[in-house]
């Protein structure tokens, strides 16, 4: 099946508005991931108190880790499910499940129930990110996928910053349980809007053999249909249009490790591991490392805030740059630059200088991982795109688990400053090397 351009046959503000719903709805879904990134860290100090759950250090680590394990499994499974049942159903289901289970976390009677609910919520949330990225890219015009991916991922860090700020107000006055009630509240608006306004992806419909529906969606949104068979995998004897869908989950996953995709799948997995190791390692331990270096607690928390503000700015710049030079090249530059600034954080500077260094570190480190998602989305055909993104995110979640563990061990040993930053710098350099192993495998358009 060749690529079939579908020109819009209708026009007017109604069409523009319809096309405009996809990005904001997916952006809010990704914002929930940002909420989850920091919410447990904000409530852990309260949960260690005797009148609450009296968590020990080991118990706190278990609570943090169990949610990440759930997100890893969710990314691996729901990403694949998305390519079988459709982007729309998978995203709405993931958001609804995560929100309900997050609400229940606010009513957990003990640490065991809280941990179980965190794991189950992670399953739903793990599927939000790969599905949202796949959908936004499929409703984005050719040549703008880098900017589309990085823009939607600003929601991740906006969510993190907003949650950290919210905790300062909510926890002392209302208690930790309200953090989870508030975190579930967006679903009351988001899920009904998704049901009413979120269309199914034309790329998925075409891959599933529902061509008439795909052409209708493409006409209404001013898109051109992608061809699942126009990929390197198809040319080299891999899965053909709709083949992965017809063959079920096993065939969908297997297609990532056959034909022209095996090399990229493995290299992207390693790169994502390094990328999310940095994201979660820094977000969980940066204030502690800075305290060990002798900075005041207020400054240490502010460093984390500045780091995430830098991430938002970096994402906006990285997307534009990636659309000009390619997500692969931009990603290698971003990982390498992040490694340099991470190493420079080990140098004792005046507080103002360190704020600047944290800002620049956030600009490069967090954007680097998002560029991996942009490359993954652009270099996999529609019928396995969400699966590829899910496996990329799943491999990254392993890094998300390992990062805080490694940094915690350095903190326990009393050598987190400066060695924590040296370790992070090496990880950033390895991310650049791993991404350099990948090769573009899809023809443009």
């Amino acid at each position: 099946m060749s690529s079939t351009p579908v020109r819009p046959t209708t026009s007017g503000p109604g069409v523009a508005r319809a096309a405009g719903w996809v990005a904001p709805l997916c952006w809010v879904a990704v914002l929930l991931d940002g909420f989850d990134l920091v919410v447990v860290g904000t409530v852990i100090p309260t949960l260690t108190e005797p009148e609450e759950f009296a968590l020990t250090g080991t118990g706190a680590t278990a609570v943090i880790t169990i949610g990440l394990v759930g997100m890893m499994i969710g990314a691996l499974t729901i990403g694949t499910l998305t390519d079988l049942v459709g982007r729309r159903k998978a995203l709405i289901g993931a958001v609804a499940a995560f929100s309900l289970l997050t609400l229940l976390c606010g009513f957990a009677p003990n640490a065991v129930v809280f941990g179980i609910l965190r794991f189950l919520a992670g399953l739903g949330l793990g599927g939000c990110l790969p599905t949202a990225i796949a959908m936004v890219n499929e409703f984005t015009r050719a040549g703008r996928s880098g900017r589309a991916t990085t823009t939607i991922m600003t929601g991740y860090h906006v969510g993190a910053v907003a949650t950290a700020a919210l905790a300062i107000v909510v926890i002392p006055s209302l208690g930790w349980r309200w953090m989870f009630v508030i975190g579930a509240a967006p679903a009351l608006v988001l899920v009904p809007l998704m049901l009413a306004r979120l269309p199914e992806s034309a790329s998925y419909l075409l891959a599933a053999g529902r061509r008439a529906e795909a052409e209708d969606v493409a006409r209404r949104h001013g898109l051109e249909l992608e061809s699942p068979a126009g990929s390197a995998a198809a040319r080299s004897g891999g899965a053909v249009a709709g083949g992965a869908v017809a063959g079920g989950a096993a065939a969908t996953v297997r297609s990532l490790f056959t034909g022209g995709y095996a090399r990229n799948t493995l290299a992207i997995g390693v790169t994502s591991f390094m990328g999310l190791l940095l994201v979660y390692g820094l977000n969980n331990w940066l204030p502690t490392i800075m305290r060990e270096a002798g900075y005041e607690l207020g400054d240490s928390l502010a460093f984390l805030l500045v780091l995430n503000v830098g991430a938002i700015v970096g994402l906006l710049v990285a997307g534009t740059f990636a659309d000009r030079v390619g997500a692969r090249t931009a990603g290698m530059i971003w990982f390498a630059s992040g490694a340099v600034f991470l190493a420079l954080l080990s140098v004792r500077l005046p507080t103002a200088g360190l704020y600047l260094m944290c800002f620049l570190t956030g600009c490069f480190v967090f954007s680097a991982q998002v560029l991996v998602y942009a490359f993954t989305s652009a270099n996999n055909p529609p019928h396995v795109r969400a699966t590829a993104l899910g496996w990329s995110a799943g491999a990254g979640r392993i890094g998300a688990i390992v990062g805080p563990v490694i940094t915690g061990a350095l903190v326990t040993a009393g050598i987190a400053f400066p060695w924590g930053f040296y370790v992070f710098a090496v990880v950033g350099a390895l991310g650049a090397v791993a991404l350099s192993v990948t090769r573009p495998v899809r023809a443009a358009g």
Side-chain angles (χ1 to χ4, degrees), residues 333-348:
I333 293 172
W334 252 244
F335 268 108
S337 300
V340 171
F341 286 112
L342 283 165
L344 289 175
L345 281 176
S346 67
V347 179
R348 293 184 184 273

Side-chain angles (χ1 to χ4, degrees), residues 247-290:
T252 305
V253 173
R254 188 166 55 248
S255 65
L256 297 181
F257 297 91
T258 57
Y261 296 104
R263 175 176 177 165
N264 276 5
T265 298
L266 296 173
I268 286 169
V270 174
T271 310
S272 290
F273 175 92
M274 301 300 174
L276 284 187
L277 189 157
L278 294 176
V279 169
Y280 280 82
L282 284 169
N283 270 303
N284 280 278
W285 287 106
L286 181 63
T288 302
I289 295 174
M290 289 309 189

Side-chain angles (χ1 to χ4, degrees), residues 107-190:
F107 298 92
N110 54 56
V112 173
V113 174
F114 183 77
I116 292 172
L117 290 171
R118 285 290 302 154
F119 172 79
L120 295 174
L123 292 176
L125 185 60
C128 283
L129 185 64
T131 307
I133 292 175
M135 176 163 272
V136 166
N137 274 276
E138 289 165 358
F139 280 88
T140 299
R141 292 178 181 176
R144 298 182 182 178
S145 61
R147 191 181 312 174
T149 304
T150 54
T151 299
I152 192 176
M153 285 300 293
T154 60
Y156 184 74
H157 295 285
V158 169
V161 171
T163 304
L166 191 66
I168 296 173
V169 177
V170 170
I171 295 177
S173 58
L174 299 177
W176 68 269
R177 296 180 184 275
W178 276 95
M179 288 298 294
F180 293 94
V181 175
I182 293 170
L188 295 175
V189 176
L190 182 59

